[in-house]
Amino acid sequence: MAPADTPAPVPAPAPPPGPASASGDTAGPARAFAGAPAPARVPAPAQTPDPDPASASDDAAAPARASAEAPAPARVPVPAQTPDPDPGYLAVFRVREFRWVFGAHLLSLLGLVVSELALTVLVYDLTRSPLLSSLTFALGFLPYLLGGTLLAGLADRHPPRRVLVVCDLICAGAVALMVLPATPVAGLLALRCAVAAVAPVFQGTRMATLADILGDGDLFVLGRSLLRIVSQSALLAGFGVGGVLLTVVPARGAIAVTAATFLLSALLLRLGTARRPARAAETREGLGATWSLLRDRRIRGLMLLFWVPPLFVVVPEALAAPYADELGVSTAALGLLMCALPVGTIAGELLAGAVLRPATRVRLVAPLLLAGFLPFLLYALRPGPALAALALVLAGATGAYTLGLDARFVAAVPEERRGRAMTLMTAGMMTVQGLGMAGAGLAAEFVPVHLVVAGAGLLATVILAVLLATEGRDGADRHMTSR
């Protein structure tokens, strides 16, 4: 699921000046200039004739003086060119630089998913400990909080392309060390933590760079949506690819393949993206800048709308195996429950991005957020796997709220802190997913699984209703004070 817009009136973000992509699209600044009012023309002072008319330099300057003394021609206003109000997903792929970012995202994401699976198998083969094996997944979430808070400033303090390439190289190096037979289990877990700590910086920087490439209008929203769709698809395809790969090569061999995907991602980003200066190279703000973002009521409210849904949306996935066992169904039914939510999310985002107009997506944020967890209440009836999967597909489809929320977030954050804010937002989303999984497992120790899922849906709906009401009041206050 994804966050949605609040009922407060939101000023439409200014149309982007047109991405200066590697494809040579330089019309953006020209369009912005054409739409601006013409500057007032200051008449040049009349020049007196030189007492020495025989001077050759005076003869050359005569036409210039005559031109300066003539009245300025009336400026014909050029109508401003507005961007296509409904560009669609294909328009995003027309931006050459985005295509390179998209390819790099696909490679690094597949590498990450396959390495997680292979590392889990490797740790279990070395230790025969289910606890240590499952800990490799937990370590994929917990370091996000550390990296997202302590390292968030790097996203704005250094050129974004350099940050992205260095992050990919660090991941490639960490994964390569996992391949070495001499690396102990503790070292494997530490390297897993290193990859997870770097991830929020990489993702936050890439998100901020996407706004530079596509502008902060609807192209940015659709570009973000495409990257999320790929992420959801990777959950479905990545584990399948990893499973097939592990039948052909040992776990360390599969990890070595993922090191190559990180290196290829770094190469694509280095060759395919433009060099841009750091957003805040001169500032050396620490955690104080992060807290200042959270003290802003507008940004904090939007952050919470991004963070609360993932906290609860993972509950049915985390408890899919216990629920299947509670029903006494086959492993095929378990697979149906595991893939239902990502399938719904992909379908919802594609439909919203392709069919709905930007203003409609913004208006649907609050309704989609409030409706998103109502299907979870069906679990109170202890439904069979088919009906439970249908409920999860419907819940996933409401994740289209993120398209409207993305536009509000990028407009609310100052550009010089955009990388920090998006890194923090990404870190929070991943951290709360880990907490949600742990909390769901703890609750299921004392309450039947189907009631845990239903209770999570009810609690999430109540919390989101309060947040939306609060955010709506803040928006109304800002609207009144700005008049």
Side-chain angles (χ1 to χ4, degrees), residues 115-433:
S115 67
E116 286 179 350
L117 179 61
L119 184 60
T120 302
V121 173
L122 177 60
V123 170
Y124 184 74
D125 287 344
L126 294 175
T127 64
R128 293 295 166 182
S129 169
L131 174 62
L132 290 176
S133 178
S134 62
L135 188 60
T136 60
F137 274 110
L139 290 177
F141 291 99
L142 299 180
Y144 265 79
L145 181 61
L146 182 65
T149 52
L150 298 182
L151 305 178
L154 297 176
D156 293 322
R157 208 156 51 229
H158 299 281
R161 185 177 68 180
R162 183 188 305 168
V163 174
L164 293 173
V165 171
V166 169
C167 286
D168 261 342
L169 293 178
I170 290 175
C171 291
V175 171
L177 290 176
M178 295 177 188
V179 179
L180 300 178
T183 305
V185 172
L188 293 174
L189 298 180
L191 292 169
R192 179 72 184 93
C193 286
V195 173
V198 167
V201 180
F202 178 86
Q203 294 171 8
T205 304
R206 182 185 59 206
M207 198 188 312
T209 303
L210 208 60
D212 297 332
I213 296 173
L214 300 174
D216 55 6
D218 199 48
L219 280 183
F220 167 79
V221 172
L222 295 178
R224 277 270 294 148
S225 175
L226 283 171
L227 297 188
R228 274 195 305 268
I229 289 171
V230 170
S231 299
Q232 291 291 336
S233 302
L235 295 177
L236 300 175
F239 288 121
V241 171
V244 172
L245 189 61
L246 287 172
T247 63
V248 180
V249 297
R252 292 188 190 274
I255 294 174
V257 171
T258 64
T261 64
F262 284 118
L263 289 174
L264 285 175
S265 173
L267 184 63
L268 289 180
L269 291 170
R270 177 62 181 81
L271 298 179
T273 59
R275 185 186 185 281
R276 295 178 173 85
R279 294 179 182 83
E282 302 302 324
T283 60
R284 290 294 184 269
E285 298 173 313
L287 288 177
T290 301
W291 297 127
S292 70
L293 286 172
L294 295 177
R295 284 195 297 268
D296 185 300
R297 287 193 305 171
R298 168 71 166 167
I299 296 176
R300 183 176 65 245
L302 293 174
M303 287 264 196
L304 289 173
L305 290 177
F306 273 113
W307 291 344
V308 169
L311 176 65
F312 294 98
V313 81
V314 297
V315 171
E317 290 182 311
L319 299 178
Y323 187 65
D325 182 63
E326 184 180 288
L327 295 178
V329 296
S330 65
T331 54
L334 173 60
L336 180 66
L337 293 175
M338 290 294 292
C339 71
L341 195 66
V343 167
T345 302
I346 294 170
E349 287 224 22
L350 282 174
L351 183 65
V355 175
L356 300 181
R357 299 180 69 84
T360 305
R361 295 197 294 262
V362 170
R363 287 195 298 268
L364 286 177
V365 170
L368 289 175
L369 275 174
L370 293 175
F373 289 95
L374 295 181
F376 284 18
L377 301 181
L378 186 63
Y379 270 75
L381 304 177
R382 200 169 175 266
L387 195 55
L390 176 60
L392 294 179
V393 169
L394 293 175
T398 64
Y401 74 91
T402 48
L403 279 76
L405 198 60
D406 277 338
R408 298 181 61 185
F409 189 73
V410 75
V413 177
E415 184 177 356
E416 66 274 10
R417 291 189 173 178
R418 188 174 285 170
R420 180 187 294 270
M422 292 181 173
T423 298
L424 180 62
M425 185 262 283
T426 301
M429 289 180 65
M430 294 301 294
T431 301
V432 298
Q433 287 184 63

Side-chain angles (χ1 to χ4, degrees), residues 25-170:
D25 181 12
T26 56
R31 286 195 297 269
F33 178 77
R41 183 182 180 96
V42 180
Q47 307 220 354
T48 57
D50 194 298
D52 184 9
S55 170
S57 60
D58 284 350
D59 292 340
R65 286 198 299 269
S67 175
E69 294 168 357
R75 180 184 179 92
V76 179
V78 180
Q81 299 183 23
T82 56
D84 186 349
D86 187 17
Y89 285 116
L90 290 179
V92 182
F93 280 111
R94 293 191 193 106
V95 181
R96 178 178 179 274
E97 199 171 355
F98 174 79
R99 296 197 297 269
W100 289 79
V101 173
F102 184 85
H105 173 66
L106 183 61
L107 284 170
S108 62
L109 189 62
L110 283 175
L112 185 62
V113 173
V114 173
S115 67
E116 286 179 350
L117 179 61
L119 184 60
T120 302
V121 173
L122 177 60
V123 170
Y124 184 74
D125 287 344
L126 294 175
T127 64
R128 293 295 166 182
S129 169
L131 174 62
L132 290 176
S133 178
S134 62
L135 188 60
T136 60
F137 274 110
L139 290 177
F141 291 99
L142 299 180
Y144 265 79
L145 181 61
L146 182 65
T149 52
L150 298 182
L151 305 178
L154 297 176
D156 293 322
R157 208 156 51 229
H158 299 281
R161 185 177 68 180
R162 183 188 305 168
V163 174
L164 293 173
V165 171
V166 169
C167 286
D168 261 342
L169 293 178
I170 290 175

